[in-house]
Amino acid sequence: MAAEIVNPRSESGTEGAQEPFDPAFALHRGGKMAITATVPLRDKDDLSLAYTPGVAKVCTAIAEQPELVHDYTWKSQVVAVVTDGTAVLGLGDIGPEASLPVMEGKAILFKQFGGVDAVPIALATTDTDEIVETVVRLAPSFGGVNLEDISAPRCFEIERKLQERLDIPVFHDDQHGTAVVTLAALRNAAKLTERGLGDLRAVISGAGAAGVAIAKFLLEAGLGDVAVTDRKGIVSRDRDDLNPVKRELAEITNKAGLTGSLEDALAGADVFIGVSGGTVPEAAVASMAPNAFVFAMANPNPEVHPDVAHKYAAVVATGRSDYPNQINNVLAFPGIFAGALQVRASRITEGMKIAAANAIADVVGDQLAADCVIPSPFDERVAPAVATAVAAAARAEGVARR
């Protein structure tokens, strides 16, 4: 007979009902992470060094020379993973407690892929200023802040305010991690088809955190043009229903002056990037330019099914692990933070992010093919390559402190 676990409610809503064994619940029981000591506590001599009275010497030294905190505590090796639970994966606004399994997962990805310790912090507020003030007060304990699963447009203001007030890296992964990996895949797709980024016109479906960040980042990297679409169509200057973030986006995107729907934007486009969900009609995909790229990254259901995309596109990528070319943030954020922490960077610059994207793309090397424009998340070369590139870029841009 199969083992059983007890959940608070069964599917029928009955309190205390038993359900069939589910490996996801079994794996999560008790949480997915723990804190362990890095020094021995075998006897009173160890205790006197690790705690009182030995610890007092270290505390006094840090009080006199605050920069010593990086050498004699874990500060330079640990990241706070902060959320308010308002935009969790594909689940939406599920609250801080329900977000914790995801934040724990993020923390173990930091450790597994980047060797960086991370602490999940789920906040019981959605107020922008309260979140900022809370993180600022927590910051002395951490070498960096990874903002996670905070809904747009608040996420933009929260990140900006924290970057202004803190002298440690603040990085909203839903924005910038996605953008970095997308650029890496796009660079290799362009290389495979013997084109440059400047030759490409892209269409992004979704004007939330990821869509806005991807658009800005690709333009910074030299993309020819990009149009961003939301539920009401192409984000363009002629629209009077745009919030401040989209108005700013309208000023820097859509050089072609397109208006209308997503389908209108896709006609003749070289690249489709999906970060919104929904379904793109096959006819719209068929209207794209020859040798097009389709990066349909919604999970679990891509905006364009790979079987459909392959009929018309030279390169197809998704956000799923069961198809080739997975656009996965884990290729970016562990190495980015590892490199930033290594040099005690005061922030993460555009140059550091571009260096990360180039490093990810370069790992593919001679394996470059239509079904391999991006490395596997389990490729052990990725995080060290990204960390090295990011650290070098931080030094070059003057934000490294060692």
Side-chain angles (χ1 to χ4, degrees):
M1 182 176 179
E4 293 182 332
I5 60 171
V6 178
N7 290 337
R9 293 181 182 271
S10 68
E11 292 182 359
S12 61
T14 305
E15 292 285 348
Q18 292 202 342
E19 294 182 348
F21 173 80
D22 186 318
F25 280 94
L27 183 142
H28 283 79
R29 183 175 292 279
K32 298 193 291 285
M33 58 184 294
I35 294 175
T36 61
T38 60
V39 297
L41 284 176
R42 299 162 298 195
D43 51 37
K44 64 182 182 63
D45 292 332
D46 288 343
L47 185 59
S48 69
L49 288 173
Y51 201 53
T52 185
V55 72
K57 298 178 183 178
V58 180
C59 292
T60 301
I62 294 172
E64 294 173 352
Q65 300 181 60
E67 69 275 9
L68 293 179
V69 69
H70 297 283
D71 296 314
Y72 294 107
T73 73
W74 77 342
K75 180 178 174 71
S76 280
Q77 304 169 60
V78 66
V79 170
V81 180
V82 179
T83 190
D84 63 358
T86 56
V88 181
L89 294 178
L91 304 174
D93 185 355
I94 60 175
E97 289 87 357
S99 76
L100 269 176
V102 177
M103 299 309 114
E104 288 183 2
K106 196 78 173 190
I108 64 176
L109 293 177
F110 264 109
K111 187 66 173 180
Q112 176 70 27
F113 293 102
V116 173
D117 290 303
V119 177
I121 298 175
L123 301 179
T125 178
T126 60
D127 181 85
T128 294
D129 290 332
E130 288 184 359
I131 291 172
V132 170
E133 291 299 328
T134 301
V135 176
V136 168
R137 285 164 171 74
L138 289 169
S141 296
F142 299 97
V145 175
N146 184 93
L147 300 174
E148 192 75 20
D149 294 351
I150 298 173
S151 62
R154 294 176 311 115
C155 60
F156 303 113
E157 185 178 2
I158 290 168
E159 182 185 48
R160 177 180 58 78
K161 287 184 173 181
L162 286 172
Q163 288 172 337
E164 290 171 352
R165 294 184 60 180
L166 297 177
D167 66 346
I168 57 175
V170 177
F171 185 86
H172 184 207
D173 187 51
D174 300 319
Q175 291 183 61
H176 310 300
T178 308
V180 165
V181 183
T182 300
L183 175 58
L186 191 58
R187 279 199 184 283
N188 275 342
K191 180 180 178 181
L192 183 68
T193 56
E194 299 182 341
R195 287 178 285 179
L197 291 180
D199 301 323
L200 303 175
R201 179 173 73 83
V203 176
I204 298 175
S205 174
V212 171
I214 292 169
K216 291 181 176 180
F217 192 55
L218 293 183
L219 290 173
E220 179 77 18
L223 188 74
D225 192 13
V226 57
V228 182
T229 66
D230 61 12
R231 290 182 180 88
K232 296 182 179 180
I234 299 168
V235 175
S236 56
R237 294 181 183 182
D238 65 317
R239 284 177 51 180
D240 58 7
D241 60 344
L242 302 178
N243 63 32
V245 172
K246 292 181 183 179
R247 280 201 300 272
E248 178 189 357
L249 196 63
E251 292 298 320
I252 62 173
T253 61
N254 192 21
K255 297 174 188 175
L258 302 174
T259 59
S261 66
L262 169 66
E263 289 83 351
D264 294 325
L266 279 176
D270 302 291
V271 186
F272 168 76
I273 297 171
V275 284
S276 66
T279 301
V280 178
E282 182 172 346
V285 182
S287 75
M288 295 177 69
N291 290 320
F293 312 143
V294 172
F295 294 178
M297 297 187 280
N299 267 315
N301 299 311
E303 295 89 346
V304 182
H305 192 280
D307 291 345
V308 173
H310 278 296
K311 294 181 183 179
Y312 310 101
V315 176
V316 177
T318 71
R320 292 176 49 150
S321 59
D322 53 347
Y323 289 101
N325 294 328
Q326 184 189 16
I327 308 291
N328 191 324
N329 288 19
V330 77
L331 290 164
F333 69 82
I336 289 174
F337 269 98
L341 294 176
Q342 177 186 325
V343 297
R344 295 180 189 166
S346 58
R347 58 193 177 96
I348 294 172
T349 65
E350 291 300 297
M352 292 162 71
K353 291 185 288 184
I354 288 175
N358 291 341
I360 294 167
D362 288 345
V363 167
V364 172
D366 294 339
Q367 296 175 298
L368 181 62
D371 62 354
C372 185
V373 297
I374 200 77
S376 162
F378 294 98
D379 191 323
E380 295 180 355
R381 300 171 297 170
V382 173
V386 171
T388 298
V390 166
R395 292 191 179 100
E397 299 203 341
V399 298
R401 289 177 287 196
R402 75 168 182 183

